[in-house]
Amino acid sequence: MRTKIIDVKDNKLDTGQLDLIADAFKEGKLVVFPTETVYGLGADGFNSDACKKIFEAKGRPGDNPLILHIAYISQMDDLVLDFPDLAKTLADEFWPGPLTMILKRSKRVPDAVTAGLDTVAIRMPSHPIAREILKYSGLPIAAPSANLSGKPSPTAFKRVFEDLNGKVDIIVDGGQADYGIESTVVDLTVKPPMILRPGGVTPEELRKIIPQIEIDNAVIDASDKRVPKSPGQKYKHYAPEAECYTFAGRLPSVVAEINRKIQQEKGKKIAVLATDETVEDYKGAYIVINLGSRENLIEVAHNLFEALRKCDDEKVDLIYAEGFELRGLGVGIMNRLLKASGGRVKFGL
Ligand code: AMP
Ligand code: MG
């Protein structure tokens, strides 16, 4: 398949571009577009065959459901059996933005979207390009992250192109995604509601509205061997080619431990994922990538997936990553690092 690239400047699509994209969705085609979290690989969420193509293009396991993206609250009526007050409050507070809600699905939502579950995941993105596309097409758009399954999610057009050129009909090049990690997924069909995947909206922000909210421990604790409750979280994910290890605890001890490991593995090509605070402190690594300041976790989240992809570009043998405290955006960042490390995490340094 020949993939058409639509280059969008200053977040403004012209009507010709919008028509092309809306027509593509109507014809059951695949369109990649930027959102504020990561790039999404979209298809008409009411079109079962089109949604099945998403799984083929990504190599996504069939039991990993998709998130529906909407532009207007009024679209909810077509998608859910019931839109409870709590969900409305969360929508008021966090939409448009990086929060995905799991609710009871309506019959109109095809099995291809929900992987046969009786619930559906929905979010209203805030990225201006995503919003324009969703408004103009008027459809709920099913869109998982626009990477090949198992790879780090793409935050830059270049990575989308590497993974999906020739596999999708259109790629919209809209520059960098802001958050860099995916949306927070909250299940509102259980009592108390549960965070199934930490992401752009923090647990603390959610607790202000739902004090009793819980978080699926299996997604943030490497020693918890239970199967995560969100189907997608049980898969190998965000995985760079190199073996990745994460070290968490007091920063001076983390730096000392990583330096010790670098010495131990002399002769291997090693990448360190460091921060502003530590970037000068590593000796003997092949490459030290600075994720940004610990005082600004948005920056760290924004740079994380690109750093993992860079490690692939550089063909390193080992990645040693600094950990982060389990609060604020740090929860989402640690979840992605746990996945990238396949559970190889040392806590309590
Ligand atoms: P992605 O779109 O690639 O960011 O992945 C979507 C995430 O949402 C995956 O982790 C899915 O397992 C999760 N998800 C989607 N629908 C549901 C659902 N109905 N119940 C639980 N998790 C879901
Ligand atoms: Mg994904």
Side-chain angles (χ1 to χ4, degrees):
M1 168 187 313
R2 225 188 124 260
T3 300
K4 185 177 174 52
I5 310 297
I6 297 184
D7 189 7
V8 179
K9 297 276 180 278
D10 301 325
N11 288 334
K12 288 204 174 61
L13 293 132
D14 60 43
T15 41
Q17 293 170 326
L18 285 165
D19 275 331
L20 209 65
I21 294 166
D23 288 347
F25 281 134
K26 272 186 212 114
E27 290 162 18
K29 293 181 173 167
L30 300 182
V31 180
V32 175
F33 57 90
T35 83
E36 74 278 20
T37 56
V38 301
Y39 271 77
L41 166 51
D44 174 358
F46 285 142
N47 181 336
S48 183
D49 289 338
C51 291
K52 284 182 190 152
K53 285 198 222 162
I54 293 179
F55 288 84
E56 279 164 36
K58 279 185 60 113
R60 184 175 176 100
D63 69 345
N64 188 6
L66 307 175
I67 296 173
L68 289 179
H69 293 70
I70 58 170
Y72 301 106
I73 287 284
S74 56
Q75 289 175 277
M76 291 296 281
D77 296 338
D78 287 335
L79 307 178
V80 297
L81 274 187
D82 173 35
F83 190 16
D85 287 342
L86 184 56
K88 286 184 182 139
T89 309
L90 290 179
D92 274 351
E93 191 69 26
F94 298 110
W95 281 359
L99 179 75
T100 295
M101 294 195 246
I102 310 279
L103 294 163
K104 290 275 174 208
R105 80 191 255 206
S106 87
K107 290 216 164 52
R108 272 199 78 182
V109 179
D111 279 341
V113 168
T114 66
L117 298 174
D118 62 356
T119 54
V120 59
I122 306 171
R123 135 174 147 85
M124 186 189 286
S126 65
H127 193 292
I129 295 177
R131 271 186 82 69
E132 273 302 291
I133 289 175
L134 292 169
K135 281 183 185 170
Y136 205 83
S137 76
L139 293 164
I141 299 297
S145 50
N147 51 290
L148 291 178
S149 216
K151 289 237 191 188
S153 299
T155 49
F157 167 75
K158 176 175 175 240
R159 302 306 182 181
V160 175
F161 191 80
E162 282 171 11
D163 277 13
L164 294 176
N165 183 41
K167 297 195 162 92
V168 298
D169 297 279
I170 296 176
I171 301 177
V172 179
D173 176 1
Q176 287 278 335
D178 305 329
Y179 279 87
I181 61 171
E182 301 87 344
S183 60
T184 302
V185 177
V186 175
D187 188 349
L188 292 169
T189 66
V190 292
K191 278 203 175 90
M194 182 173 274
I195 299 172
L196 302 183
R197 175 178 75 182
V201 172
T202 66
E204 291 84 349
E205 286 174 292
L206 286 165
R207 242 172 247 133
K208 281 188 194 146
I209 293 169
I210 316 173
Q212 74 279 23
I213 197 165
E214 290 187 351
I215 178 158
D216 181 4
N217 191 58
V219 304
I220 48 166
D221 179 354
S223 65
D224 189 332
K225 300 295 176 213
R226 283 174 294 181
V227 178
K229 294 185 170 55
S230 184
Q233 287 280 320
K234 68 176 184 281
Y235 291 108
K236 186 165 177 240
H237 238 263
Y238 318 118
E241 304 291 335
E243 208 160 273
C244 180
Y245 292 80
T246 299
F247 299 89
R250 285 180 47 252
L251 205 47
S253 313
V254 167
V255 172
E257 179 67 5
I258 291 179
N259 272 323
R260 197 180 65 75
K261 296 289 290 181
I262 295 172
Q263 287 309 313
Q264 219 177 48
E265 299 290 350
K266 244 185 188 153
K268 293 218 172 119
K269 224 171 157 181
I270 298 173
V272 176
L273 304 191
T275 44
D276 274 1
E277 289 79 356
T278 58
V279 68
E280 305 290 344
D281 300 342
Y282 294 103
K283 302 281 171 292
Y286 174 75
I287 177 174
V288 179
I289 301 177
N290 185 358
L291 296 177
S293 168
R294 289 178 170 270
E295 304 296 314
N296 182 3
L297 291 183
I298 294 183
E299 190 187 2
V300 172
H302 177 85
N303 291 328
L304 178 62
F305 287 142
E306 189 51 33
L308 292 172
R309 293 253 182 176
K310 178 135 177 65
C311 293
D312 282 352
D313 290 348
E314 299 287 341
K315 301 206 170 8
V316 301
D317 304 310
L318 288 167
I319 301 170
Y320 295 143
E322 296 175 3
F324 293 82
E325 269 184 70
L326 284 174
R327 62 185 158 84
L329 260 187
V331 184
I333 294 170
M334 275 305 271
N335 164 263
R336 304 317 188 267
L337 280 173
L338 292 191
K339 295 268 163 195
S341 309
R344 289 178 293 265
V345 185
K346 207 165 180 180
F347 280 105
L349 286 164

